[in-house]
Amino acid sequence: MTNDLTRGNPAKVILIYSLPIILGNVFQQVYNLVDTIIVGRFVSYQALAGVGITNGLTFLVMGFVSGITSGLGIRTAQLFGAGDMKGTKRSVGTSIIISVFLAVFLTLAAVFSTEPLLRLIGTGPEIFEYSRNYLIVLFSGIVAQTAYNLIACILRALGDSRTPLHFLIFSSLLNVVLDILLITRFGMGVRGAALATVVAQALSAVLCFIFAFRKYPELKLSADDFRTSWAFVWEHLRIGIPMALQFSITAIGIVMLQAALNAFPATYIAGFSAANKVQNVGALVAISFGVSIANYVGQNYGAGDIVRVRKGVNITLVMTLCVCVVASVLIAVFADPLTSLFLNKDTAGDVSEIYYASRKYLYMSAIFFPFLYVLFVFRNALQGVGKTFMPLMAGVLELLIRGVASFTLPQTLGYFGITLIDVLAWVGACLWLLVSYCIQMPKASGVKVVR
């Protein structure tokens, strides 16, 4: 059922709403891990490095998709919170139109730019083919990724965080099965890992759309709901584009980091790739609470209740920091056992270097996790009230920090410099967003958002 986030105890509402999103992100990270684990164990450590080095380029494209669809969902949440059902339906129709054009454009752009981008970041010859083959298949499925992200964001905007979870669990399990079949049975290597992801996302998106549009009255659209205007399109893009650019700008910084990492041996790249996957799992609660607070703030801002908005943000900060302590300790204590999941001792090459690279990166991440967790709360809270400029500038600041650090620290500090790049970006962006929140939130209007 749809869920009105403008009523009830804020702590209870946010926690109940967040739990399905957290579980969904757990399953999503599980199948991302399975991709990497199976590639590392059943193909080679070079394949592990090749897939791992694509993270920045993947995030550059998929992050843009995630940002746009999240922004579209926030506008829908504002209209839903304001009680404007006609506007809510029209918002959904407009979001679908925008997403179709976006998916087609990004697919063509990403597929044809894959090789030039891999060469631009200096991908080594021993891993180049693995990276290219993986990205070509993955980027060919951008339509599937966009479709699932869109329907998930629309449902969450209506307060339903459970339905996306159910279909994400289905997608994750299907992905695992397809990974095993395509890689170990049919010998498709990294192409199989990418194809498993695309097929699982596509089927999940189709089924989720069918279920949602049949079940929810708010999503039973007519032809009139697709008759939009440039002004209404801009209301959505005004929120979505800055969020998309923020993701993409952050991704460019990650690409710079990976370009610096490419100067190191494949064993270091493999270790970094494994650690990065583990770090993503450690950050999933922060990401989940970020999604929750964006929709919570969006609905309550639409209802004109700014006091409730502030209460929700404060409560979310406390909850995320409590989880952060647990995540940091677990990652630091189990760094080596977690890294071993990605390795086959018979094919892993110099295992000691892989463990060293992974361990150093995870230790540094665990220390600075609080900045990352707080960053997600303030960024999404500002976006929930439509204040997207300062979060975008936080992304620009992350880019500048990663860029400068990538071109200086590895040359002077070696691999230790690599481990500092991400955490310095987190600290800079977190402080920027903290100041921005303190300045801009008191200015937020209590006037209802109406169409």
Side-chain angles (χ1 to χ4, degrees), residues 353-409:
E353 286 190 350
I354 296 175
Y355 276 109
Y356 170 83
S358 178
R359 189 185 310 122
K360 294 298 181 184
Y361 183 73
L362 287 176
Y363 285 170
M364 192 62 67
S365 297
I367 293 170
F368 286 89
F369 255 5
F371 291 95
L372 181 64
Y373 270 63
V374 171
L375 181 159
F376 275 107
V377 176
F378 286 130
R379 172 184 286 166
N380 284 277
L382 287 167
Q383 290 167 340
V385 296
K387 305 291 185 181
T388 55
F389 179 74
M390 297 310 281
L392 174 60
M393 290 299 100
V396 172
L397 180 60
E398 283 191 68
L399 172 62
L400 293 174
I401 293 173
R402 282 194 173 95
V404 172
S406 296
F407 285 106
T408 57
L409 296 183

Side-chain angles (χ1 to χ4, degrees), residues 45-46 48-50 53 122-127 258-273 348-350 352-358 414-415 418:
Y45 79 89
Q46 292 93 338
L48 172 63
I53 209 66
T123 307
E126 62 180 325
I127 64 175
Q258 290 173 338
L261 182 64
N262 279 335
F264 292 83
T267 48
Y268 278 77
I269 299 174
F272 179 90
S273 301
D350 190 341
S352 62
E353 286 190 350
I354 296 175
Y355 276 109
Y356 170 83
S358 178
Y415 184 76
I418 292 288

Side-chain angles (χ1 to χ4, degrees), residues 13 26 55 70 88 119 157 258 271 276 299 338 388 445:
V13 167
V26 167
N55 286 342
S70 295
T88 299
R119 298 188 189 283
Q258 290 173 338
N276 189 254
Q299 282 198 20
L338 290 170
T388 55
S445 171

